Amino acid sequence: NFAHGALYMMGAVFAWMGLTYFGINYWVMLIVAPLIVGLFGVIIERLLLRHLYKLDHLYGLLLTFGLTLLIEGFFRSFYGVSGLPYQVPEVLTGATNLGFMILPNYRAWVVFASLVVCFGTWFLIERTRLGSYLRAGTENPALVQAFGVNVPLMVMLTYAAGAGLAAIAGVLAAPVIQITPLMGSNLIIVVFAVVVIGGMGSILGSIITGLALGLVE
């Protein structure tokens, strides 16, 4: 899904818009921005992607790549590409001396929040009944639907959740990097590398690979 890079960017931009235009602080936008982007994900899935499920996966890839270009172009027409600054929340300013390094408090928060979200997602999909329905629906949707599970609704909500997770990453990244409409394009290639190295379909593998690749970079 190439559009995840654009959804990540939208989360960061919405956090900036909330603070700049409405005075809504970081902590509120950490919840609101993913909800808005998740709703946008529902619209994408219902209006566009659902018509491609029975076709070759290449069509979905091309569609989401096209969506990325449209979304990036839309925001670039309003904000350009020079970058928008976003202040670190006051409670997380400063740094902590760990002895072997000086760790900015905000970056420590990002590490903690990212681990919670990643392992929470893994637990939901791998260790809950809802997750088992989702995995079964991915393998054999007709059979799962025969047991009374609303697979189309489940797929829609899963796509919305994925969009919301991308937006959470965008909000977390906003105070660390300059917010630009092209910030997602720089990330999506790394994300694909993480998925491939971690193993297609392995959430835990992607988490471990993502952390390892981040440390290497």
Side-chain angles (χ1 to χ4, degrees):
N1 182 0
F2 269 104
H4 269 306
L7 299 173
Y8 159 81
M9 175 271 294
M10 287 175 66
V13 172
F14 285 155
W16 179 86
M17 292 172 65
L19 182 63
T20 303
Y21 299 143
F22 306 104
I24 304 176
N25 67 33
Y26 168 88
W27 301 106
V28 175
M29 290 310 299
L30 192 58
I31 299 173
V32 173
L35 291 176
I36 296 173
V37 177
L39 179 60
F40 182 68
V42 168
I43 296 172
I44 292 175
E45 198 279 336
R46 290 287 88 180
L47 297 182
L48 300 173
L49 289 176
R50 67 180 300 189
H51 302 293
L52 303 180
Y53 290 149
K54 295 182 179 180
L55 302 178
D56 190 284
H57 292 313
L58 179 62
Y59 290 97
L61 187 149
L62 292 173
L63 174 63
T64 54
F65 181 69
L67 282 173
T68 296
L69 296 179
L70 288 172
I71 295 169
E72 287 180 352
F74 175 81
F75 283 98
R76 185 167 55 183
S77 67
F78 285 97
Y79 300 110
V81 295
S82 59
L84 305 168
Y86 192 88
Q87 294 295 322
V88 173
E90 187 176 349
V91 70
L92 295 175
T93 55
T96 301
N97 188 347
L98 300 179
F100 60 94
M101 67 174 290
I102 304 297
L103 179 64
N105 293 336
Y106 183 78
R107 289 179 181 263
W109 155 249
V110 170
V111 171
F112 172 77
S114 300
L115 288 172
V116 169
V117 170
C118 285
F119 284 105
T121 303
W122 171 81
F123 182 83
L124 177 67
I125 293 178
E126 297 291 341
R127 292 292 185 268
T128 67
R129 177 174 294 182
L130 177 62
S132 66
Y133 287 157
L134 175 61
R135 286 181 281 116
T138 302
E139 295 293 330
N140 195 331
L143 180 61
V144 174
Q145 198 150 352
F147 282 95
V149 178
N150 190 336
V151 174
L153 176 62
M154 186 170 61
V155 170
M156 181 190 73
L157 294 178
T158 301
Y159 190 87
L165 289 172
I168 289 175
V171 178
L172 290 173
V176 178
I177 62 177
Q178 286 283 308
I179 302 171
T180 74
L182 303 180
M183 60 188 285
S185 298
N186 301 327
L187 183 74
I188 197 67
I189 302 302
V190 178
V191 170
F192 271 98
V194 166
V195 172
V196 172
I197 297 170
M200 297 292 288
S202 172
I203 296 177
L204 190 59
S206 292
I207 293 172
I208 295 172
T209 304
L211 291 171
L213 187 58
L215 288 171
V216 169
E217 287 190 318

